Amino acid sequence: MSNQLQTVGNATTMNLNSVIYQNIVESPYLRTLGDLSTFQEIVAEAQRNVKSMEPFLKGTTPSTAWVLMYKFWTLPLTVRQLENLIEHPHSVFLRGIGFLYLRYVCKPDQLWDWLGPFLEDDQEITLQGGVKPVHSTIGKMCYMLLNDQKFLGQILPRIPVLVMRELEKKLEPYADAGRAKAGQRDHFKKEKSDHRDRDRDRGSSGRGGGRRDDHRDSSNRYDRDRDRSRSRDRGGRGGSREYDDYSRSSRRRSYSRSRSRSRDRYRDRRDDYRRRSRSKSPGRR
């Protein structure tokens, strides 16, 4: 490689999304960096102040990391300086800024040479800070930058189809380490779901979980025993039809007897009424 990094795209915006670019160039923090004109001065500023890699801190306020990345772009960085960033021994966030810088401006067919050797790097980095921080590793971050279309919600520069096909083949052995291909959020959701599954397994083996399982098992056994008892009463599977026929004929006979008794009672009441009527009639006195 020559000392000058070969870049592509817009020389002014650094290929950044128009929203975050506008917020960076209008940022009060960027104005405070006006006096920093050398690579070492910006490195020292990043070591002091960068705590995470998200693009926005709150609302539309750009993060320190992304403002400093753009400040590096105004120099711009040489190959040697980029090597110093991505291999920095004291700041993982300077390494993250270096990889992100490369993803935005480096020629697509050179991305693998820069990021590929770091896919197994397990140094931990905080991608998002705040109350619920999101942690990853340098290796996973490089996988996301090579494989995904977005990084923490920000659209990355498009990689040509042919180059992307080659990248996918090279990334395949690292798919498990990089987690899901559906988007960077899936990488962390899967890890959290694994923790929840393990907690649920531990809880079910405890005292409360065992009691619930025992209750379910006893309830299921009761239902099975009841069904078998009914089947035996009806003569098993083969005698169930005979039992049903017998039940229907019994109901018909019972209904016939009750209807006959009703007719007899009605006839008795009718006869009794006629006798009383004759006795009260004047012509019969």
Side-chain angles (χ1 to χ4, degrees), residues 51-265:
K51 306 298 180 185
S52 58
M53 294 299 301
E54 69 263 44
F56 293 102
L57 294 177
K58 186 177 181 181
T60 57
T61 303
S63 69
T64 305
W66 285 62
V67 173
L68 287 170
M69 179 180 70
Y70 182 76
K71 182 65 177 178
F72 278 128
W73 173 246
T74 62
L75 295 180
L77 296 180
T78 64
V79 169
R80 183 64 180 272
Q81 289 169 339
L82 274 166
E83 289 174 344
N84 289 338
L85 279 187
I86 64 177
E87 296 174 2
H88 200 282
H90 304 302
S91 175
V92 68
F93 298 110
L94 276 170
R95 299 187 68 195
I97 290 172
F99 289 121
L100 197 59
Y101 182 103
L102 285 165
R103 179 63 180 86
Y104 269 99
V105 302
C106 179
K107 290 185 67 176
D109 58 359
Q110 295 179 4
L111 282 172
W112 178 259
D113 294 334
W114 280 101
L115 276 66
F118 298 93
L119 287 169
E120 295 181 358
D121 193 317
D122 60 358
Q123 184 178 15
E124 187 172 292
I125 183 170
T126 300
L127 296 184
Q128 268 184 233
V131 180
K132 296 181 179 180
V134 176
H135 303 289
S136 185
T137 64
I138 288 293
K140 290 181 185 177
M141 180 179 175
C142 289
Y143 182 94
M144 292 157 59
L145 291 173
L146 290 172
N147 182 75
D148 298 344
Q149 297 177 352
K150 291 183 179 181
F151 178 78
L152 299 178
Q154 293 301 305
I155 298 175
L156 297 170
R158 179 181 172 275
I159 297 176
V161 175
L162 294 178
V163 177
M164 194 66 219
R165 287 176 183 170
E166 290 299 318
L167 282 176
E168 288 174 349
K169 292 177 183 178
K170 294 175 180 178
L171 287 170
E172 191 171 351
Y174 304 93
D176 291 339
R179 299 293 188 241
K181 297 182 179 180
Q184 70 274 4
R185 289 290 181 187
D186 294 340
H187 306 333
F188 313 109
K189 283 183 179 178
K190 186 176 189 303
E191 291 177 348
K192 291 177 182 178
S193 66
D194 291 343
H195 290 309
R196 283 197 295 268
D197 292 341
R198 285 196 294 271
D199 294 340
R200 188 164 57 247
D201 292 340
R202 283 198 294 269
S204 64
S205 62
R207 195 168 47 180
R211 202 175 286 138
R212 285 192 296 271
D213 292 340
D214 291 343
H215 176 71
R216 268 196 299 270
D217 291 342
S218 62
S219 177
N220 292 335
R221 283 197 299 270
Y222 171 75
D223 292 338
R224 288 194 298 269
D225 292 342
R226 184 180 57 187
D227 293 339
R228 281 198 295 267
S229 177
R230 287 176 176 172
S231 178
R232 283 195 299 269
D233 292 342
R234 296 178 182 183
R237 185 179 299 176
S240 60
R241 183 176 299 175
E242 296 176 2
Y243 174 83
D244 293 339
D245 294 341
Y246 170 77
S247 299
R248 282 195 293 270
S249 62
S250 298
R251 285 195 295 270
R252 282 198 297 270
R253 285 196 298 272
S254 176
Y255 175 71
S256 299
R257 285 195 297 269
S258 63
R259 189 170 56 179
S260 178
R261 284 195 295 269
S262 297
R263 283 199 300 266
D264 292 342
R265 282 196 296 272

